[in-house]
Amino acid sequence: MAEKKESFFWTSYSDLMTSLFFIMLTLFVLVIVLLHKRMEATEKQLEEIKKVEASTKELGRSKNFAYKAEYKKYVLDVRCFFKETKYRLADLQADTARLHRAGTEIKEFLDKNENNQYLLIIEGQASRNSQKLTDANYDWSFQRALTLMKFWKDICHIDFGANCEFQIAGSGDGRYNFGYTGGEGTERFKQLDATLMRERGSKEIDNQRFVIHIIPKNIIEDAEKKEN
């Protein structure tokens, strides 16, 4: 009787281990398949990102844009300057013909890459003067960005197309661009301030201008949709 029980135990144990083996094997195969699909999706995303990076290099062939290695991006290379409290188009000191051409080149870039969605940000800036003017600097910087938008839209009649979302922003003098740091003299403020796309030192006054950002919106999302 004891031998039959022992035989039954080992038979059941063997069946259990065999079942566990097949379960583990199935899970292993499933994990491999999922990882393979994820790698394929990642490769497609990387290909899309490379395409966008290659397309933005087209701007580098223009005389109106220049590549800034410290920020890893192309920036408007047309000198645009406002006096300290000014923001209207009549106050803008710039080659408006080149500014018009820069807007046209952005439109041509967007048209050529119509399968991608972009976020076009016009960021107005201000120089860092008296702290009493900090709030006003943010107002003036926004108005400077709005001035460029109106120039391209109402005077140049540039239609940037359906694959471009416009945003107008004012980053002021940069004092409010991050949380509490303890004041301008602290190391924390200096560390964060160094990340901002601004002129410094003797060129501080040149921040009374605007900066343009062209950001691809749907690269990763499109790659995921194609995979699914």
Side-chain angles (χ1 to χ4, degrees):
M1 189 71 176
E3 291 180 0
K4 287 184 178 180
K5 287 184 178 179
E6 186 174 345
S7 176
F8 178 77
F9 169 77
W10 286 112
T11 301
S12 300
Y13 182 78
S14 176
D15 291 341
L16 177 62
M17 294 306 294
T18 301
S19 299
L20 288 175
F21 171 77
F22 281 110
I23 291 173
M24 294 302 295
L25 180 61
T26 302
L27 289 175
F28 176 75
V29 172
L30 180 60
V31 169
I32 294 298
V33 170
L34 291 175
L35 287 175
H36 181 68
K37 287 186 176 181
R38 179 164 294 183
M39 287 177 63
E40 286 182 346
T42 303
E43 288 175 359
K44 288 181 180 179
Q45 292 168 10
L46 183 59
E47 288 175 5
E48 293 292 333
I49 291 171
K50 286 181 177 179
K51 287 179 183 178
V52 172
E53 289 180 343
S55 67
T56 55
K57 290 180 180 179
E58 297 169 13
L59 296 175
R61 291 192 283 269
S62 166
K63 294 181 179 179
N64 298 313
F65 294 91
Y67 184 73
K68 293 288 186 180
E70 61 269 37
Y71 303 114
K72 297 181 179 179
K73 65 173 63 176
Y74 288 91
V75 300
L76 182 67
D77 199 31
V78 180
R79 176 173 168 76
C80 302
F81 178 76
F82 292 89
K83 290 185 178 179
E84 192 172 62
T85 63
K86 304 299 183 181
Y87 56 85
R88 300 183 187 279
L89 183 60
D91 304 317
L92 174 61
Q93 299 178 26
D95 184 340
T96 53
R98 284 191 64 192
L99 204 55
H100 184 172
R101 180 58 189 161
T104 302
E105 288 174 346
I106 292 175
K107 172 180 169 50
E108 291 171 351
F109 166 80
L110 294 170
D111 289 344
K112 190 173 182 179
N113 298 276
E114 60 181 356
N115 292 327
N116 291 323
Q117 293 291 319
Y118 292 91
L119 179 63
L120 179 57
I121 302 174
I122 301 178
E123 174 195 346
Q125 294 186 331
S127 58
R128 192 167 292 166
N129 41 29
S130 170
Q131 286 191 346
K132 294 180 180 179
L133 294 176
T134 294
D135 288 357
N137 281 333
Y138 278 84
D139 292 336
W140 292 328
S141 65
F142 177 84
Q143 291 296 334
R144 287 165 185 159
L146 184 60
T147 291
L148 177 57
M149 176 58 185
K150 288 181 175 180
F151 172 72
W152 279 341
K153 176 178 178 291
D154 298 335
I155 296 178
C156 302
H157 301 127
I158 299 175
D159 178 5
F160 290 96
N163 64 327
C164 175
E165 176 188 348
F166 243 109
Q167 286 193 6
I168 301 170
S171 60
D173 54 27
R175 290 187 174 107
Y176 291 154
N177 288 28
F178 22 76
Y180 177 73
T181 60
E184 288 186 54
T186 64
E187 288 301 316
R188 181 59 176 165
F189 182 92
K190 293 176 182 178
Q191 179 185 13
L192 293 174
D193 186 52
T195 65
L196 299 180
M197 192 170 173
R198 297 179 54 84
E199 302 296 340
R200 292 171 176 80
S202 61
K203 293 185 177 181
E204 176 66 35
I205 195 172
D206 290 341
N207 289 311
Q208 291 156 198
R209 60 179 183 183
F210 29 65
V211 178
I212 298 170
H213 308 270
I214 304 175
I215 304 171
K217 291 173 59 177
N218 65 326
I219 301 306
I220 294 178
E221 290 84 348
D222 279 355
E224 290 176 346
K225 288 178 182 177
K226 290 176 182 177
E227 178 61 26
N228 295 330

